[in-house]
């Protein structure tokens, strides 16, 4: 085995597409597990459907909730970084810093701060997570409009539908909560929250297919002076040759 072949193999250690898949799986698995544990222990009821936050209040489910979502927030930060530097049509550094990264920090804040022990911080994190991600999805969808009718048309259309659903669930939830002051036990606010959460993760999951096999974690290197982004393996191989 030559030195070039050895270095090439080392650079294939973790595809970036798997970050999207892991983040999507971890959030869904964490929220569903926390809900199941809370339901089993009698901390929540089947109906009305509880808020996701209420599934992470009491032990033991609060440990699953906090640890799982903190790791998911770190993966979301990495995911936004990957998308920002991928050189795709939806890549945009301003959008990432204005909406993407605040979304991941909001997820981490709501995971760390219990909605009963530290409600103010928890709901600040929740609003940042849902609102920033909804807006980030909308911006990405608008930037992808030129791709309609191309070979990537399928996933573009899926993301457009999901972005609309995320926005509807998110802003309906905020309207009912902040303007109408509807009680949570009526069930409409929790349904909107769960709907926004699942649609958001499905939106992220589409990037598992869109990023393909051309991108790897070790390629995410940004030169702060040249502002160079993602480097494809093929381009690197040609430069080395």
């Amino acid at each position: 085995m030559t030195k070039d072949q050895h270095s090439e193999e080392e650079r294939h250690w973790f595809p970036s597409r798997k970050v999207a898949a892991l983040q999507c799986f971890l959030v869904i698995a964490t929220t569903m597990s926390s809900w199941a544990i809370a339901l089993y222990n009698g901390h929540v009821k089947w109906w009305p459907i509880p808020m996701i936050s209420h599934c992470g209040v009491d032990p033991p489910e609060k440990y699953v909730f906090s640890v799982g979502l903190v790791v998911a927030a770190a993966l979301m930060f990495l995911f936004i970084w990957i998308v920002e530097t991928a050189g795709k049509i939806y890549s945009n550094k301003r959008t990432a810093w204005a909406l993407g990264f605040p979304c991941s920090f909001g997820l981490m804040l709501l995971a760390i701060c219990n909605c009963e022990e530290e409600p103010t911080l928890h709901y600040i994190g929740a609003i940042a997570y849902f609102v920033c991600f909804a807006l980030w999805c909308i911006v990405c969808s608008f930037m992808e409009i030129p791709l309609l009718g191309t070979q990537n048309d399928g996933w573009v259309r899926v993301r457009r539908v999901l972005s609309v659903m995320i926005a509807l669930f998110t802003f309906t939830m905020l309207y009912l909560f902040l303007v109408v002051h509807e009680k949570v036990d009526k069930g409409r606010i929790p349904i909107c929250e769960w709907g926004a959460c699942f649609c958001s993760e499905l939106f992220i999951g589409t990037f598992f297919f869109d990023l393909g096999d051309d991108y790897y974690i070790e390629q995410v290197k940004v030169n702060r002076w040249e502002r160079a982004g993602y480097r494809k393996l093929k381009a690197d191989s040609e430069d080395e040759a």
Side-chain angles (χ1 to χ4, degrees):
M1 181 182 294
T2 64
K3 182 177 180 181
D4 291 339
Q5 290 175 333
H6 182 70
S7 62
E8 190 70 15
E9 289 183 1
E10 288 180 345
R11 292 161 60 185
H12 287 68
W13 68 277
F14 197 83
S16 293
R17 63 189 297 188
K18 292 185 178 179
V19 174
L22 284 173
Q23 205 283 335
C24 175
F25 171 79
L26 189 57
V27 170
I28 293 176
T30 298
T31 52
M32 293 302 297
S33 298
S34 299
W35 171 76
I37 296 170
L39 185 65
Y40 177 80
N41 288 281
H43 299 153
V44 297
K45 299 178 181 179
W46 282 97
W47 186 263
I49 299 173
M51 298 290 288
I52 296 175
S53 301
H54 295 167
C55 298
V57 174
D58 300 306
E61 63 267 17
K62 75 174 184 178
Y63 305 119
V64 176
F65 184 87
S66 295
V67 174
L69 292 187
V70 164
V71 176
L75 287 173
M76 175 167 278
F77 186 91
L78 180 57
F79 164 74
I80 297 294
W81 188 21
I82 288 169
V83 171
E84 174 200 354
T85 57
K88 298 275 190 174
I89 194 169
Y90 44 68
S91 302
N92 187 294
K93 289 181 173 62
R94 292 181 181 177
T95 304
W97 284 100
L99 299 172
F101 294 141
C103 166
S104 62
F105 285 124
L107 180 59
M108 185 171 292
L109 185 62
L110 73 86
I112 295 173
C113 300
N114 191 292
C115 68
E116 289 193 357
E117 296 174 357
E118 298 177 279
T120 302
L121 290 176
H122 176 86
Y123 288 114
I124 288 174
I127 291 174
Y129 168 66
F130 284 108
V131 173
C132 288
F133 192 77
L135 295 176
W136 184 80
C137 292
I138 291 172
V139 171
C140 285
S141 297
F142 272 104
M143 294 174 67
E144 286 184 321
I145 289 177
L147 293 179
L148 292 175
T150 66
Q151 60 180 354
N152 295 323
D153 180 77
W155 292 116
V156 173
R157 292 184 183 277
V158 169
R159 279 198 286 270
R160 292 187 75 187
V161 172
L162 288 172
S163 66
V164 171
M165 293 177 67
I166 292 166
L168 285 175
F169 279 128
T170 297
F171 293 109
T172 299
M173 174 180 64
L174 292 177
Y175 174 76
L176 291 173
F177 187 74
L178 299 176
V179 179
V180 179
H181 301 292
E182 182 176 290
K183 293 183 178 179
V184 173
D185 58 12
K186 286 190 176 182
R188 292 197 295 181
I189 293 177
I191 288 173
C192 289
E193 184 185 35
W194 283 93
C197 179
F198 278 100
C199 289
S200 297
E201 295 312 314
L202 290 176
F203 188 96
I204 292 175
T206 63
F207 286 87
F208 174 80
F209 304 98
D210 194 29
L211 285 173
D213 297 320
D214 291 329
Y215 301 93
Y216 291 79
I217 293 298
E218 62 270 34
Q219 292 174 285
V220 187
K221 299 175 181 178
V222 179
N223 186 304
R224 64 175 179 172
W225 302 114
E226 298 177 1
R227 310 301 297 173
Y230 231 119
R231 301 186 303 168
K232 289 189 177 181
L233 289 177
K234 184 181 294 186
D236 286 349
S237 300
E238 292 175 355
D239 292 340
E240 291 175 358

